[in-house]
Amino acid sequence: MAGKFCVSLTRAGDDPDRATVAFVLAGAALGSEQETVVFLSTEGVRLAERGYADDIHEGGFLPLAELMATFAGGGGEIYVCAPFFSKRGLDADNLVDGAVIVGGAKLVEFLAGGTPSVSY
């Protein structure tokens, strides 16, 4: 991969526009040969649970579940903020492909070298 890129996402079904565009951009970064991570925090952690994104489909874009699956299938990683995941009582045995529950240190390690990041 040529470089690194991070998309931070704090929204899920509460803001399908942002959730969708975040994964569109992450897919574009991955397609541009960037080692790409989507970091899910606050409400965004809900997207890490298998089935949650199945009914989210913004007009003009592919369904969110498909965008997420394509991203993960292409080698993208989905970092899921452990404290917010736990706070919401979500099921760690039911994660989408590519998702891994992490602490803040893992994100800091990814970003430490000056990795560009955008937030939604």
Side-chain angles (χ1 to χ4, degrees), residues 23 26-27 30 36-38 66-78:
F23 274 95
L30 196 61
T36 307
V37 164
V38 172
E66 187 175 335
L67 291 168
M68 292 174 65
T70 299
F71 175 73
E77 291 186 276
I78 301 170

Side-chain angles (χ1 to χ4, degrees), residues 82-90:
F84 286 113
F85 192 84
S86 177
K87 177 182 176 180
R88 284 159 176 77
L90 303 176

Side-chain angles (χ1 to χ4, degrees), residues 23 40 45-54 65 68-69 72 78 80 85 91-100:
F23 274 95
L40 302 177
V45 298
R46 296 187 185 281
L47 294 172
E49 267 201 322
R50 187 172 283 116
Y52 179 88
D54 288 353
M68 292 174 65
I78 301 170
V80 184
F85 192 84
D91 183 3
D93 293 326
N94 192 35
L95 295 176
V96 296
D97 292 340
V100 59

Side-chain angles (χ1 to χ4, degrees), residues 4-8 36-39 107 110-111 115-118:
K4 293 181 175 182
F5 193 77
C6 179
V7 177
S8 179
T36 307
V37 164
V38 172
F39 177 64
L107 179 63
F110 186 79
L111 296 173
T115 300
S117 179
V118 296

